[in-house]
Amino acid sequence: LRGLQVVEHCCSVTSLQLGETLPNISKDLDTLSYRLPLGVTAGITPFNFPAMIPLWMFPVATVLGNTSVIKPSERDPGACMMLMELLNEAGCPPGVVNVIHGAHDAVNFICDHPDIKAISFVGSDQAGKYIYERGSRNGKRVQSNMGAKNHGVVMP
């Protein structure tokens, strides 16, 4: 259900990603922000949520104009492959979302390939630190959610 909630949000996200214009913030000064696609993004998913976590990754990436490479856990790739079948049935063009299978070599490919501009990871601390360090070293934006903890911000 949580994965489907993200997909529902993606149906309206395009209007939230238009950028901003702030005219006349000072004499003869306007500010404009543009939100542009990165290109190829990648998602590396854990074994314990084989459908929900991919739905956190490729729908957001694609609706924002990117293509996506998903690497499901080698322990249970079936749910991700079912999602890909549904995506194909829905009419998604070939090559927009791609799946790569494997373990360490597949992760290294994602971290090292120069066309992949961003990586989203959910999984263990050990793998997350490795992916963050290797991907960042290659100039990628890396989001690494490790250790199955709920994130929170404590405010005064």
Side-chain angles (χ1 to χ4, degrees):
L1 213 49
R2 294 284 183 228
L4 292 177
Q5 289 171 336
V6 172
V7 174
E8 286 178 355
H9 174 67
C10 288
C11 294
S12 66
V13 78
T14 53
S15 62
L16 300 173
Q17 295 297 317
L18 293 175
E20 300 173 313
T21 302
L22 298 171
N24 301 314
I25 63 169
S26 187
K27 185 178 188 291
D28 299 323
L29 183 63
D30 299 335
T31 299
L32 298 108
S33 67
Y34 299 98
R35 295 191 170 116
L36 303 172
L38 296 174
V40 182
T41 63
I44 302 171
T45 68
F47 73 93
N48 54 343
F49 293 99
M52 180 177 72
I53 304 299
L55 288 172
W56 290 1
M57 297 176 179
F58 74 82
V60 177
T62 57
V63 78
L64 295 176
N66 302 290
T67 60
S68 185
V69 176
I70 296 290
K71 192 207 91 55
S73 171
E74 63 278 7
R75 292 167 59 182
D76 59 357
C80 185
M81 295 311 297
M82 286 184 214
L83 292 172
M84 295 303 108
E85 288 174 19
L86 293 171
L87 191 63
N88 286 333
E89 287 178 24
C92 184
V96 173
V97 179
N98 306 278
V99 179
I100 181 174
H101 296 285
H104 301 299
D105 289 342
V107 169
N108 289 339
F109 174 84
I110 288 170
C111 290
D112 296 342
H113 198 286
D115 289 340
I116 296 174
K117 304 300 182 192
I119 303 168
S120 183
F121 168 79
V122 174
S124 72
D125 288 350
Q126 181 181 5
K129 288 175 184 175
Y130 176 83
I131 291 164
Y132 181 83
E133 289 175 13
R134 188 162 181 151
S136 296
R137 188 171 60 237
N138 287 309
K140 300 177 189 319
R141 297 180 187 188
V142 181
Q143 170 184 287
S144 186
N145 295 311
M146 302 176 288
K149 302 295 179 203
N150 291 319
H151 300 83
V153 177
V154 179
M155 306 285 287

